[in-house]
Amino acid sequence: NRSLKAQMRSANNQNAIYTLTIGDDEVASKKAKLKCMADGNEKIIDLDKDIITKEAEEIAEYGEETA
């Protein structure tokens, strides 16, 4: 049960490209926060299987482009 700040710091130290924040509020609203760790931009996405799959594919493509 680490703080969100500690978790984000850990993700940054592990060179994560993106983080996905899902807490109680996000589960209730069926939305999550997707954050680009490189520039800090955040995007709210629907917690829908098809949308998450599409977002994951885009993230994978971005990772391949930057590798």
Side-chain angles (χ1 to χ4, degrees):
N1 288 337
R2 297 181 309 155
S3 70
L4 180 58
K5 183 176 180 177
Q7 292 178 52
M8 288 295 179
R9 191 176 318 119
S10 177
N12 194 45
N13 290 339
Q14 294 176 41
N15 297 317
I17 297 172
Y18 286 91
T19 58
L20 183 66
T21 304
I22 304 174
D24 293 337
D25 292 342
E26 288 79 14
V27 171
S29 68
K30 297 186 179 182
K31 297 190 182 294
K33 189 181 300 182
L34 182 66
K35 179 178 182 176
C36 176
M37 296 300 286
D39 60 17
N41 285 332
E42 295 179 345
K43 178 180 181 181
I44 302 298
I45 63 169
D46 290 319
L47 290 177
D48 175 274
K49 182 180 174 185
D50 294 332
I51 292 173
I52 292 173
T53 300
K54 179 180 175 271
E55 294 290 339
E57 288 170 354
E58 288 178 12
I59 290 168
E61 289 174 10
Y62 175 79
E64 291 172 2
E65 292 172 5
T66 60

